[in-house]
C-alpha cells in the first residue's frame, strides 16, 4: 500500500490547487490543471470484487472513492477520471455490451479520459500472464492496437504523475 499512498500524497501536495505544468516538453504546459481526490472506502461495499483485483487497485480504492487527475479546469478537455468501484462495474458492463468482440474475461474499466473516448482498463484475471496490466482502450481500434500503459496501476499512476498528465504511452 505504501506505493499508492506515496503517489496520492504527491498528487495532493503538488496538484491540489490549479497550476500550470512545470514540464516544458509537454503540450499541456499552457493548461491550468488540478487533481481532485474524493475520499472514502467504497471497496468495502464491493467485497465480491476483491479476490480478482490487483493489490494496488484494492489499495487505491481503500483510500479514495474516485478522482479526477490533471483536469483542465479552464476548458474541461483534459484529464483522467478514476472511477469508483460501482462506476467501474457499470462502465465494464457498458463496455461488454458495446464491444463484446474486444472484451476479455478479467477486463475492468477503471477510468475514462476527459475530452476523448479512451478508457483505462486493468486486467483482473489472476490466472493470465497479463494480470494487473494497464491498457488504454481506444474507441475505434481493435484490442491488439490498444496501448499498454504499464504493467501495474502503481507504475501507470507514477508515470502519469511524473509526466504531469500527458499521455506518455502514445
Amino acid at each position: 500500500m505504501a506505493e499508492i499512498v506515496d503517489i496520492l500524497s504527491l498528487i495532493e501536495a503538488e496538484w491540489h490547487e490549479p497550476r500550470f505544468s512545470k514540464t516544458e516538453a509537454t503540450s499541456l504546459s499552457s493548461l491550468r490543471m488540478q487533481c481532485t481526490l474524493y475520499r472514502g472506502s467504497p471497496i468495502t461495499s464491493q467485497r465480491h470484487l476483491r479476490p480478482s483485483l490487483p493489490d494496488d487497485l484494492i489499495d487505491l480504492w481503500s483510500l479514495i472513492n474516485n478522482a479526477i487527475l490533471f483536469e483542465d479546469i479552464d476548458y474541461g478537455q483534459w484529464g483522467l477520471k478514476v472511477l469508483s468501484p460501482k462506476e467501474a462495474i457499470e462502465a465494464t458492463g457498458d463496455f461488454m455490451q458495446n464491444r463484446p468482440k474486444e472484451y476479455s474475461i478479467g477486463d475492468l474499466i477503471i477510468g475514462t479520459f476527459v475530452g476523448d473516448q479512451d478508457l483505462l482498463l486493468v486486467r483482473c484475471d489472476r490466472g493470465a500472464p497479463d494480470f494487473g496490466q494497464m491498457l488504454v482502450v481506444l474507441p475505434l481500434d481493435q484490442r491488439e492496437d490498444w496501448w499498454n500503459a504499464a504493467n501495474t496501476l502503481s507504475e501507470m499512476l507514477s508515470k502519469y504523475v511524473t509526466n504531469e498528465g500527458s499521455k506518455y504511452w502514445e
Side-chain angles (χ1 to χ4, degrees):
M1 181 175 293
E3 197 168 4
I4 289 292
V5 169
D6 291 344
I7 293 166
L8 294 179
S9 295
L10 178 62
I11 289 170
E12 282 185 317
E14 296 288 322
W15 293 97
H16 68 283
E17 291 186 15
R19 72 173 179 88
F20 293 100
S21 170
K22 293 178 184 174
T23 307
E24 292 179 23
T26 180
S27 61
L28 301 176
S29 61
S30 63
L31 300 178
R32 284 188 321 139
M33 294 183 290
Q34 180 177 12
C35 295
T36 307
L37 306 177
Y38 298 96
R39 296 288 178 189
S41 17
I43 193 70
T44 57
S45 66
Q46 304 291 336
R47 290 193 190 279
H48 64 282
L49 276 179
R50 288 187 78 125
S52 62
L53 298 178
D55 291 343
D56 52 2
L57 182 55
I58 292 171
D59 293 345
L60 180 77
W61 277 340
S62 295
L63 297 166
I64 65 169
N65 183 26
N66 61 357
I68 301 176
L69 304 179
F70 299 96
E71 177 184 20
D72 161 17
I73 62 163
D74 293 317
Y75 306 104
Q77 293 298 307
W78 196 262
L80 169 62
K81 181 172 192 238
V82 178
L83 304 175
S84 70
K86 181 180 179 196
E87 291 170 322
I89 291 168
E90 291 169 1
T92 302
D94 291 345
F95 177 69
M96 289 170 59
Q97 182 177 353
N98 295 329
R99 297 186 68 181
K101 291 180 181 178
E102 303 303 332
Y103 174 79
S104 184
I105 293 173
D107 286 351
L108 182 65
I109 304 296
I110 64 162
T112 60
F113 289 90
V114 179
D116 60 31
Q117 296 176 354
D118 296 356
L119 304 172
L120 184 62
L121 180 149
V122 62
R123 292 288 299 134
C124 296
D125 180 354
R126 283 200 178 264
D130 63 350
F131 175 71
Q133 193 172 69
M134 303 300 300
L135 302 174
V136 176
V137 177
L138 303 173
L140 301 176
D141 295 1
Q142 295 180 344
R143 190 177 188 99
E144 61 265 12
D145 296 323
W146 298 349
W147 286 304
N148 178 0
N151 290 321
T152 66
L153 175 62
S154 297
E155 178 187 348
M156 183 269 168
L157 289 175
S158 180
K159 287 180 178 181
Y160 195 60
V161 171
T162 298
N163 288 280
E164 299 186 338
S166 69
K167 293 183 176 181
Y168 65 87
W169 51 83
E170 290 183 341

